[in-house]
mmCIF file of all heavy atoms in Angstrom:
data_model
loop_
_atom_site.group_PDB
_atom_site.id
_atom_site.type_symbol
_atom_site.label_atom_id
_atom_site.label_comp_id
_atom_site.label_asym_id
_atom_site.label_seq_id
_atom_site.Cartn_x
_atom_site.Cartn_y
_atom_site.Cartn_z
ATOM 1 N N ARG A 47 130.149 72.765 149.428
ATOM 2 C CA ARG A 47 129.836 72.645 150.826
ATOM 3 C C ARG A 47 128.540 71.879 151.053
ATOM 4 O O ARG A 47 127.693 71.962 150.198
ATOM 5 C CB ARG A 47 129.721 73.966 151.500
ATOM 6 C CG ARG A 47 130.911 74.780 151.567
ATOM 7 C CD ARG A 47 130.676 76.057 152.487
ATOM 8 N NE ARG A 47 131.890 76.628 152.808
ATOM 9 C CZ ARG A 47 132.409 77.741 152.208
ATOM 10 N NH1 ARG A 47 131.709 78.266 151.257
ATOM 11 N NH2 ARG A 47 133.536 78.181 152.570
ATOM 12 N N THR A 48 128.426 71.240 152.210
ATOM 13 C CA THR A 48 127.171 70.597 152.566
ATOM 14 C C THR A 48 126.094 71.681 152.514
ATOM 15 O O THR A 48 126.241 72.778 153.052
ATOM 16 C CB THR A 48 127.274 70.000 153.967
ATOM 17 O OG1 THR A 48 128.307 69.092 153.956
ATOM 18 C CG2 THR A 48 126.045 69.282 154.335
ATOM 19 N N SER A 49 124.967 71.328 151.947
ATOM 20 C CA SER A 49 123.836 72.366 151.816
ATOM 21 C C SER A 49 123.167 72.597 153.132
ATOM 22 O O SER A 49 123.343 71.732 154.132
ATOM 23 C CB SER A 49 122.870 71.855 150.706
ATOM 24 O OG SER A 49 122.169 70.705 151.307
ATOM 25 N N LEU A 50 122.388 73.588 153.255
ATOM 26 C CA LEU A 50 121.558 73.914 154.385
ATOM 27 C C LEU A 50 120.644 72.734 154.773
ATOM 28 O O LEU A 50 120.523 72.297 155.841
ATOM 29 C CB LEU A 50 120.852 75.232 154.246
ATOM 30 C CG LEU A 50 120.017 75.648 155.500
ATOM 31 C CD1 LEU A 50 120.854 75.758 156.717
ATOM 32 C CD2 LEU A 50 119.270 76.935 155.153
ATOM 33 N N LEU A 51 119.959 72.254 153.716
ATOM 34 C CA LEU A 51 119.059 71.099 153.862
ATOM 35 C C LEU A 51 119.858 69.866 154.332
ATOM 36 O O LEU A 51 119.369 69.209 155.208
ATOM 37 C CB LEU A 51 118.342 70.822 152.535
ATOM 38 C CG LEU A 51 117.321 69.673 152.556
ATOM 39 C CD1 LEU A 51 116.220 69.959 153.686
ATOM 40 C CD2 LEU A 51 116.653 69.494 151.186
ATOM 41 N N GLY A 52 121.045 69.625 153.821
ATOM 42 C CA GLY A 52 121.858 68.537 154.289
ATOM 43 C C GLY A 52 122.254 68.673 155.708
ATOM 44 O O GLY A 52 122.193 67.707 156.548
ATOM 45 N N LEU A 53 122.552 69.937 156.142
ATOM 46 C CA LEU A 53 122.875 70.172 157.542
ATOM 47 C C LEU A 53 121.693 69.921 158.420
ATOM 48 O O LEU A 53 121.806 69.334 159.540
ATOM 49 C CB LEU A 53 123.381 71.593 157.701
ATOM 50 C CG LEU A 53 124.798 71.852 157.271
ATOM 51 C CD1 LEU A 53 125.037 73.387 157.341
ATOM 52 C CD2 LEU A 53 125.825 71.135 158.104
ATOM 53 N N LEU A 54 120.515 70.383 157.982
ATOM 54 C CA LEU A 54 119.295 70.207 158.835
ATOM 55 C C LEU A 54 118.927 68.722 158.901
ATOM 56 O O LEU A 54 118.550 68.305 159.994
ATOM 57 C CB LEU A 54 118.100 70.989 158.181
ATOM 58 C CG LEU A 54 118.237 72.486 158.295
ATOM 59 C CD1 LEU A 54 117.093 73.110 157.535
ATOM 60 C CD2 LEU A 54 118.310 72.938 159.705
ATOM 61 N N LEU A 55 119.097 67.938 157.863
ATOM 62 C CA LEU A 55 118.751 66.503 157.841
ATOM 63 C C LEU A 55 119.699 65.750 158.767
ATOM 64 O O LEU A 55 119.308 64.718 159.342
ATOM 65 C CB LEU A 55 118.761 65.938 156.459
ATOM 66 C CG LEU A 55 117.598 66.385 155.570
ATOM 67 C CD1 LEU A 55 117.838 65.874 154.135
ATOM 68 C CD2 LEU A 55 116.284 65.888 156.145
ATOM 69 N N THR A 56 120.942 66.202 158.939
ATOM 70 C CA THR A 56 121.889 65.473 159.844
ATOM 71 C C THR A 56 121.990 66.136 161.199
ATOM 72 O O THR A 56 122.880 65.827 162.013
ATOM 73 C CB THR A 56 123.269 65.437 159.167
ATOM 74 O OG1 THR A 56 123.759 66.820 159.049
ATOM 75 C CG2 THR A 56 123.250 64.707 157.861
ATOM 76 N N LEU A 57 121.084 67.076 161.522
ATOM 77 C CA LEU A 57 121.054 67.884 162.768
ATOM 78 C C LEU A 57 122.377 68.546 162.972
ATOM 79 O O LEU A 57 122.808 68.688 164.079
ATOM 80 C CB LEU A 57 120.679 66.954 163.910
ATOM 81 C CG LEU A 57 119.393 66.272 163.802
ATOM 82 C CD1 LEU A 57 119.206 65.258 164.980
ATOM 83 C CD2 LEU A 57 118.230 67.214 163.749
ATOM 84 N N THR A 58 122.960 69.016 161.909
ATOM 85 C CA THR A 58 124.318 69.715 161.859
ATOM 86 C C THR A 58 125.424 68.836 162.401
ATOM 87 O O THR A 58 126.510 69.366 162.715
ATOM 88 C CB THR A 58 124.285 71.034 162.596
ATOM 89 O OG1 THR A 58 124.095 70.876 163.970
ATOM 90 C CG2 THR A 58 123.184 71.971 162.083
ATOM 91 N N PHE A 59 125.276 67.545 162.446
ATOM 92 C CA PHE A 59 126.303 66.641 162.911
ATOM 93 C C PHE A 59 127.441 66.539 161.872
ATOM 94 O O PHE A 59 128.595 66.273 162.153
ATOM 95 C CB PHE A 59 125.785 65.176 163.169
ATOM 96 C CG PHE A 59 124.937 65.131 164.439
ATOM 97 C CD1 PHE A 59 123.979 64.282 164.516
ATOM 98 C CD2 PHE A 59 125.286 65.938 165.556
ATOM 99 C CE1 PHE A 59 123.188 64.085 165.663
ATOM 100 C CE2 PHE A 59 124.523 65.837 166.700
ATOM 101 C CZ PHE A 59 123.491 64.894 166.728
#
Side-chain angles (χ1 to χ4, degrees):
R47 290 189 167 101
T48 304
S49 68
L50 180 59
L51 182 57
L53 285 171
L54 292 174
L55 290 173
T56 62
L57 302 174
T58 68
F59 287 147

